[in-house]
Amino acid sequence: MTDAFLVALGGVTEPYTLLLMAVATFAGIVAAAIPGFTITMAIVLTLPLTFAMPPMQGIAVMLSVYVGGLSGGLFSAALLGIPGTPSSVATTFDAFPMARQGNPGKALSLGLFASFVGSIISIAVLIVAAPPLALLAVKLGPWEYFALIIFALTVIASLVGDSLIRGLIAGLIGIGIATIGPDPLMGRERFTFGYEILTAGIPFLVVLIGMYAMSQLLSELEPATGDRQPSSGALISGDMRPHLWQTIKDILLKPVNVIRSSLLGVFIGAVPGAGSSISNLLAYDQAKRASKHPETFGKGEPQGVVASESGNSSTVGGSLIPLIALGIPGSPADAVLMAAIMVHGISIGPRLILDHPDLVYSMFIAMAIASVFMLVIGVILMRAFLRLLNVPKYIVVPVVLACCAIGTYTLNNRLSDLYLLACIGAVGYLLKKLDYPLAPLVLGVVLGPIAETNLRRAFQTSTDWTLFFTRPISALLLTLAVVSVIYSIYSYMKQRRLMAQRLEATSK
C-alpha cells in the first residue's frame, strides 16, 4: 500500500498533470457559475479529452472539474442571486442578501473557504470510512429511500419565509410541477392537458433557472424605488475586498457548523442518487435549526453561507464512497467518472482498491490538490468577478439572460424548453411579488419525483405498507421527519410571537 501511495503521489504531482488540474479546476468554476451549465455537463465535455491521457492523469483532471464545479455556483448565487447549479440553491438565501448589503467580498470568501474545508473533511472521511459507509448506503431499499426523501421534504417547513401557509403552498406547487410529463416508471403521459410542449415534462433545470434567474432579472428591470439600486448601475456594490483572513478566523471560531454540514454532505453523497442538490439544503436547514438566532437566516447570515457551501462541496467525497467500495455511482457526475475509468480497461467494483490501489490513492490525492486549486483560483477569480459588478445593469441583464437561454437549450436541445423557461420565469416573478418563497417550490420539484419513484417501487416489491414502519432505518427517518415538522412549526410560531412582542414594545 505504501508503494501504491508513492506511485500515485508521483503520478499526480507531475508538473504537467498539476497544470492540467489547475486548468480543469478553473474550467469547473467558470462552467458552474453559468446558470444552467451543470457540473455533469462540464464533466461530460471533459471526458473525451481524457481518453488519450494515462488513467491517473485523466481521473485527476475530471475530479478537478468536479471539485471546481461544486464551488463555482457560489459566484452567480452571491452576486446575481441566481444559483449556477442545483447544489448552490441554498447559497442564494444568505450570500445574495449579504452582497446586497455591501459585503460581496465577504460572502464569496465565506463560501470559498467553507467549500475548501468541506472538501478536505470529505476526503478524510472517504479515506477512513469508505467501506462501512458504502455498505450502509447500499442496504437502503425503496422504503428507506422514500423515508429519507420525506425527511428531506421537511426542510420546506424551515424555508417558508414569513408565511407558513405560503411556503407549504409553494412546496405543493413544486411537487405538482414535477408530476407533469411522462410517468417516472411506466413512461405514460400525465397532466399534459393535450399540450405537446408538456409531453416531455418540465426539466428541473428549466424550473431552477426560470424561478431564480428569470424572476431575478425581471425584478432587476423594474424602475428604481426606495433602496433599490439604480437601473443603470451594477447589480451589487460595496466592499470589494476578499476578507480571506478574517473569514478563516470567523469559520475556525465556530467550527461546529462547518463540521456538521460537511459530515451531513458526506452522508448524503454516500446515498446513491441523493447528491449535492439535497445536501446543501439539508445542511442549511440544520444550521438554521441549531442557531440561537434562526430569524437572521435568509437576511445575510454568514453561517448560512458556510453551511450550504461546506455541505455541497463535501458531497463529492461522499459520492465516491459507493463508487470506490462497490462500483455504484452516487451521482450522474460519478457515473461519467466511472465510465472514464472503464474506458481505460479498469473494472469497477469491490476489488478496485485491491487490484488498483495506486489509482484509488491518486483519486484521494487529486481531490486534495484540486481543493487547494479551487481555493486559490477562486480567490483570484473573486477579484475579477467583483470588478465585473461595475458593468452597468443594462449590459449585465442581457448577457445573463443569454447564458440562461443557452444553458436551457443545451440541456435537451429543445426549443420548447425556452418557451417553458419564459413561462416559469413569469410565474416565479409573480410568486415573488406575492411574497411566496421560491425555495420550497424548487425543493418540491427536486424531491417529488424521487419520493414518488421509491414509493411505487416499494409497493411493487411488497403491498405491505407497514414495512415503512417496521424496517428500522425507515421508521427512524419517518420519526425524525415528524419531529422535524413539529419542531419547525414550534420555532416558526415562537418567532412570530417574539416579532409581535417586539412590535408591541416599539409601538409603546
Side-chain angles (χ1 to χ4, degrees), residues 368-452:
I369 295 175
S371 299
V372 176
F373 282 155
M374 176 272 297
L375 181 61
V376 174
I377 294 173
V379 171
I380 296 172
L381 284 180
M382 181 167 53
R383 298 179 182 274
F385 273 108
L386 290 174
R387 288 194 179 96
L388 288 176
L389 296 177
N390 294 320
V391 178
K393 188 185 299 184
Y394 62 82
I395 296 178
V396 173
V397 170
V399 171
V400 174
L401 181 61
C403 291
C404 293
I406 293 172
T408 300
Y409 180 75
T410 55
L411 178 64
N412 295 304
N413 293 325
R414 291 198 302 253
L415 191 62
S416 60
D417 284 350
L418 296 179
Y419 300 130
L420 291 174
L421 177 67
C423 295
I424 293 292
V427 172
Y429 175 73
L430 179 61
L431 290 175
K432 285 184 67 174
K433 282 297 180 183
L434 296 175
D435 290 328
Y436 279 81
L438 300 182
L441 189 150
V442 173
L443 188 63
V445 175
V446 174
L447 299 181
I450 305 175
E452 179 192 359

Side-chain angles (χ1 to χ4, degrees), residues 280-340:
N280 79 108
L281 286 162
L282 281 178
Y284 182 87
D285 171 66
Q286 294 305 309
K288 183 177 180 180
R289 292 174 190 270
S291 175
K292 295 180 180 178
H293 303 284
E295 69 277 1
T296 62
F297 280 72
K299 301 176 182 178
E301 170 58 48
Q303 293 303 313
V305 181
V306 171
S308 172
E309 284 301 305
S310 57
N312 67 34
S313 292
S314 61
T315 307
V316 60
S319 65
L320 289 178
I321 291 173
L323 177 66
I324 292 175
L326 297 166
I328 300 173
S331 68
D334 293 314
V336 179
L337 193 64
M338 186 170 111

